Amino acid sequence: ASFTAEAGEVLAIVGPNGAGKSTLIKILCSIHSPDAGVCLLDNQPMKQMKSDLGFLPETPYLIDELTCSQFLRYIASMKGVNDESEIVSRLLYFGADLYAEEKIRSLSQGQRRCISLVDSLIPDPRLLILDEPTNAFDTLTMLKLKKLIAERRNKGMITLFSSHILDFVENTATHILFI
């Protein structure tokens, strides 16, 4: 089976537990290798397009000993982003500026997820992949995430996400892929 996501589309991946949603996402992000087939972005292998990809994993990959700001500056530098204004604007947008100088180990699950979301948005990726984005986020963060996805859609960017929350899928996705 195959699927295509065009510019400006918001593609939701929906299916029962164990169907392979997270595995598919990890293959798209080159964390796992496919048994067969290819994953392309602009006709190029996804592995070669990492700078155009943002990924919010279901379980955040963070460095507990760093503050949120230190972690995000570190990630930004690895992505070749030296302008801190992008980090600051994302922190402000999601209200994470309130705990930006806290050590990651002291954060709640929702705050950790929010820092991981900010990480996935630096720099503003053409393809944003969100694994279960509704997990651990409060209502305000969810509203801001929906608004951000709509803005990305209007800019012609692609957002792909998995979710069990059908209301979120119905109100956010332009297309649904059932697994």
Side-chain angles (χ1 to χ4, degrees):
S2 67
F3 67 92
T4 302
E6 301 293 334
E9 289 185 357
V10 180
L11 177 64
I13 302 172
V14 178
N17 291 336
K21 299 179 298 296
S22 292
T23 300
L24 172 60
I25 285 174
K26 289 175 182 174
I27 289 170
L28 291 172
C29 295
S30 301
I31 295 169
H32 293 321
S33 297
D35 293 334
V38 293
C39 302
L40 304 173
L41 179 61
D42 293 336
N43 292 318
Q44 299 294 319
M46 292 287 286
K47 286 183 180 184
Q48 297 174 10
M49 304 298 286
K50 289 256 186 190
S51 62
D52 294 315
L53 172 70
F55 173 48
L56 172 68
E58 188 171 12
T59 302
Y61 305 118
L62 304 171
I63 302 171
D64 284 343
E65 293 74 31
L66 299 179
T67 67
C68 299
S69 293
Q70 289 170 333
F71 174 75
L72 292 170
R73 283 195 303 271
Y74 170 70
I75 294 298
S77 71
M78 288 180 46
K79 294 179 179 181
V81 176
N82 297 316
D83 182 5
E84 285 194 33
S85 65
E86 191 169 348
I87 296 170
V88 171
S89 68
R90 296 290 187 199
L91 287 169
L92 286 168
Y93 182 81
F94 288 106
D97 58 306
L98 300 174
Y99 49 88
E101 298 311 317
E102 300 290 325
K103 295 265 185 181
I104 290 175
R105 73 171 160 260
S106 69
L107 302 181
S108 71
Q109 183 182 6
Q111 291 169 330
R112 292 173 68 87
R113 227 29 242 273
C114 192
I115 294 303
S116 188
L117 177 60
V118 170
D119 164 14
S120 73
L121 294 167
I122 299 170
D124 204 12
R126 288 189 306 136
L127 172 59
L128 178 62
I129 299 176
L130 309 168
D131 195 1
E132 297 292 345
T134 57
N135 288 359
F137 287 143
D138 59 30
T139 303
L140 183 58
T141 304
M142 285 307 306
L143 291 172
K144 289 184 176 186
L145 179 58
K146 281 183 181 181
K147 181 180 175 191
L148 179 98
I149 291 171
E151 290 169 359
R152 289 179 50 78
R153 181 177 175 211
N154 291 336
K155 291 179 186 176
M157 298 170 152
I158 300 169
T159 304
L160 183 146
F161 68 89
S162 67
S163 182
H164 289 98
I165 310 300
L166 294 181
D167 180 60
F168 182 78
V169 170
E170 285 181 16
N171 291 310
T172 309
T174 58
H175 296 81
I176 301 172
L177 172 66
F178 290 96
I179 294 183

